[in-house]
Amino acid sequence: MKFRSLPTLALASALAMPVAPAAFAQSAPIKIGVPTAIQLQVGRDTQDAVQMAIDEVNAKGGVLGRKLEMVVADETEKPEAGINAIKKLTSEDKVDVLIGGFTSGVTLAQLPHISRAKTVYLGVGAASPAITQRVSKDYENYKYIFRVGPINAAEQARQLTTFISDFVIGELGIKDVAIVGENAKWVQDLVPILRKGATDAGADVRFSELFDTQTSDFSPLFSKIRNSGAGFIVVVLAHASSDIFAKQWHDGQVPVPYGGIDVKAMDGDFCERLDGKAVSHVAGNFAIRAPLTSKTIPFFDAFKERTGRSPVYTAFASYDSVHIYAEAVARAGKTDADAVVVELEKTSYEGIPGLIEFDESHDVEAGGKHPNMLFAQWQPDCGREVVFPKHVRTAEPISPPWLKK
């Protein structure tokens, strides 16, 4: 009988021995779950921005000696799919953090499932104030929820009110306005605040209506607006209707300029894909390629070089979220959700649109040094220029081509 030498036996034993769970946990990648609407620009930019930040963190050695890894799930724009995406990421993929979101109705439906999974969630797309209000009402169960971006719908309404008072009324000299938007949760939250704010600012709201997100013919709406005597259309749009609205406004040569919050119009190719029919349209943005912070221009340039696209708003918050989470984990010394939440609450991070800090409801602070809204106008040759606020203006505003100044 031949006997193995002791070193050989020791080696065999070591190879056969299962890795201790604690040791494996310390070397396994930190998983970042990304629930997003992958078929949309906001979803593609979310994924690309997350991966961009992951690559930067990993290039520096990762976090606590562990690399970051992205896992994506398509939440579409439907609550049922959104819930399934969260269940998959938390139960099957066992991610350490969730970074994503777009539609407020979907995010609200996901919240109880995120709470039960006790997984940190950094929202980058949904604006309804009701999302972070859950934290205020039931902190122990919903403390895992944070919104990195965009600024919430109520704050957007306040900043849009300033656009109406200082730009539409103050510069264009138009007091009679119409307010129209999609019948979505965040718009329902925003429009009542906007109407009151606009009225208090001196505007005469001649017409206001919410329409179905599947609307394909806006001619009846444009007729109502014209009949109301409104001289400017304030829009609140986020879904597929933005392109149709712009095309039909242009083709019908509606004698009323428009602008406001229009998520699709934030796309870098919005004007080009409409063959220039968006010229003169003004849309709110949360960041532009300007020195808002030391990170803004470098991010825009790096994202464009990497993807060939100009980033939309979800990209800003997604990129910042990875770095904010990584820093919180490093401070906590572990990925335990409760410990990370404590560190996230201390966040003071120079992000792309401004200083990222959270209030008591885990909502991103807005105004001043924090993120704000910037209103950019599509101009001839589909160039995009900031027209408001005035201190960051890059070009003078123009009227629709078929209207006299």
Side-chain angles (χ1 to χ4, degrees):
M1 178 181 292
K2 293 184 178 179
F3 295 90
R4 295 180 183 176
S5 64
L6 285 177
T8 304
L9 284 171
L11 177 61
S13 298
L15 290 172
M17 187 178 297
V19 178
F24 178 77
Q26 291 174 358
S27 61
I30 295 173
K31 291 185 178 182
I32 297 178
V34 178
T36 189
I38 64 175
Q39 75 279 15
L40 302 179
Q41 183 72 50
V42 289
R44 291 191 291 274
D45 281 14
T46 295
Q47 296 171 74
D48 286 336
V50 166
Q51 190 60 57
M52 184 172 161
I54 284 175
D55 291 346
E56 292 175 0
V57 173
N58 286 346
K60 295 180 180 179
V63 182
L64 305 179
R66 299 168 62 187
K67 294 297 180 73
L68 305 184
E69 178 180 286
M70 179 172 68
V71 184
V72 180
D74 188 5
E75 68 176 25
T76 70
E77 295 179 87
K78 297 180 180 179
E80 299 82 7
I83 291 170
N84 289 335
I86 294 299
K87 288 180 176 179
K88 175 187 179 297
L89 291 170
T90 56
S91 299
E92 296 178 24
D93 299 313
K94 301 190 182 304
V95 300
D96 297 285
V97 61
L98 297 159
I99 296 176
F102 170 49
T103 305
S104 290
V106 173
T107 301
L108 287 166
Q110 293 169 329
L111 294 184
H113 304 276
I114 296 169
S115 171
R116 282 196 287 272
K118 298 185 184 300
T119 304
V120 172
Y121 177 88
L122 303 179
V124 303
S128 173
I131 293 168
T132 53
Q133 284 170 1
R134 296 282 184 94
V135 180
S136 302
K137 294 177 181 177
D138 187 357
Y139 177 84
E140 198 52 42
N141 282 319
Y142 290 96
K143 62 185 177 183
Y144 308 101
I145 310 300
F146 292 79
R147 179 174 15 234
V148 179
I151 58 177
N152 72 49
E155 182 59 35
Q156 289 183 42
R158 286 187 281 271
Q159 296 198 17
L160 186 52
T161 296
T162 302
F163 168 77
I164 294 171
S165 64
D166 294 6
F167 181 76
V168 178
I169 298 176
E171 290 197 54
L172 302 184
I174 301 172
K175 290 187 176 181
D176 301 323
V177 303
I179 299 176
V180 300
E182 296 171 342
N183 193 15
K185 172 60 179 170
W186 74 281
V187 183
Q188 295 165 6
D189 292 334
L190 188 153
V191 168
I193 301 170
L194 178 61
R195 286 193 63 173
K196 183 180 185 305
T199 301
D200 291 346
D204 182 358
V205 181
R206 294 293 191 93
F207 178 78
S208 181
E209 184 171 296
L210 300 185
F211 52 81
D212 189 87
T213 57
Q214 301 302 314
T215 298
S216 59
D217 181 6
F218 288 99
S219 54
L221 181 66
F222 290 136
S223 293
K224 292 178 185 177
I225 292 171
R226 285 196 298 268
N227 292 337
S228 75
F232 192 92
I233 307 170
V234 180
V235 297
V236 188
L237 310 172
H239 299 274
S241 56
S242 293
D243 291 46
I244 302 170
F245 190 97
K247 288 178 181 177
Q248 294 182 1
W249 168 81
H250 174 278
D251 292 346
Q253 296 203 351
V254 178
V256 188
Y258 85 103
I261 299 172
D262 189 344
V263 175
K264 289 288 186 180
M266 295 181 187
D267 292 354
D269 67 345
F270 181 74
C271 184
E272 291 178 352
R273 73 174 183 246
L274 267 63
D275 297 323
K277 294 181 178 182
V279 167
S280 83
H281 172 32
V282 180
N285 287 259
F286 299 104
I288 56 170
R289 191 188 178 281
L292 305 178
T293 74
S294 66
K295 297 179 180 178
T296 316
I297 291 176
F299 171 79
F300 267 73
D301 291 347
F303 189 92
K304 184 68 176 290
E305 182 178 355
R306 183 183 183 110
T307 67
R309 303 190 304 273
S310 296
V312 297
Y313 79 102
T314 52
F316 317 143
S318 299
Y319 176 86
D320 286 341
S321 290
V322 173
H323 287 288
I324 288 168
Y325 175 75
E327 290 186 4
V329 170
R331 292 194 301 269
K334 52 187 174 181
T335 56
D336 173 74
D338 287 358
V340 173
V341 165
V342 172
E343 296 304 323
L344 284 171
E345 291 174 340
K346 302 173 185 176
T347 296
S348 185
Y349 176 84
E350 183 190 48
I352 294 159
L355 182 67
I356 307 297
E357 295 180 328
F358 300 113
D359 64 17
E360 292 183 355
S361 67
H362 294 178
D363 210 342
V364 64
E365 297 275 10
K369 60 188 176 182
H370 300 106
N372 294 280
M373 290 198 76
L374 307 167
F375 291 86
Q377 184 178 53
W378 291 105
Q379 298 204 349
D381 299 323
C382 286
R384 181 162 52 179
E385 303 288 349
V386 178
V387 295
F388 186 81
K390 225 173 180 180
H391 71 276
V392 291
R393 177 172 289 174
T394 59
E396 291 302 310
I398 63 170
S399 298
W402 54 90
L403 289 182
K404 292 181 180 179
K405 276 195 173 185

